Amino acid sequence: MFTKTLFDQNIAPACEYCTHIARAADGSLHCAKKGTVQPFDHCRAFEYDPLRRVPRRRPQMPEYDPEEFML
């Protein structure tokens, strides 16, 4: 599946990223195949949906002092 290359090559299957999941108003996940599930469970019907994945935040860049760049 070529869509895995959008974020990382080693994406672990999780119901949180599956196409069969619907998120309820209270935040719980409801699978069309298995019913109510936990976010990091998975089953054989797992299909990766890249639009459901929230990428990690970038790390903060350190503040440099201009004196560090003087010769």
Side-chain angles (χ1 to χ4, degrees), residues 55-71:
R56 287 181 252 149
R57 293 183 146 225
R58 286 184 160 180
Q60 288 270 340
M61 295 297 292
E63 294 292 324
Y64 291 109
D65 188 19
E67 292 180 6
E68 293 178 8
F69 298 101
M70 290 185 166
L71 295 176

Side-chain angles (χ1 to χ4, degrees), residues 15 18-21 31-34 42-48:
C15 288
C18 185
T19 58
H20 303 291
I21 291 294
C31 179
K33 306 277 183 178
K34 298 288 182 180
H42 69 279
C43 66
R44 293 190 316 176
F46 175 78
E47 290 183 31
Y48 179 67

Side-chain angles (χ1 to χ4, degrees), residues 5-64:
T5 60
L6 290 176
F7 295 102
D8 189 6
Q9 291 290 337
N10 300 320
I11 296 173
C15 288
E16 197 170 41
Y17 323 130
C18 185
T19 58
H20 303 291
I21 291 294
R23 190 173 295 271
D26 63 352
S28 64
L29 301 176
H30 181 77
C31 179
K33 306 277 183 178
K34 298 288 182 180
T36 303
V37 294
Q38 297 297 318
F40 294 104
D41 287 345
H42 69 279
C43 66
R44 293 190 316 176
F46 175 78
E47 290 183 31
Y48 179 67
D49 183 4
L51 298 178
R52 292 185 188 269
R53 183 129 190 266
V54 179
R56 287 181 252 149
R57 293 183 146 225
R58 286 184 160 180
Q60 288 270 340
M61 295 297 292
E63 294 292 324
Y64 291 109

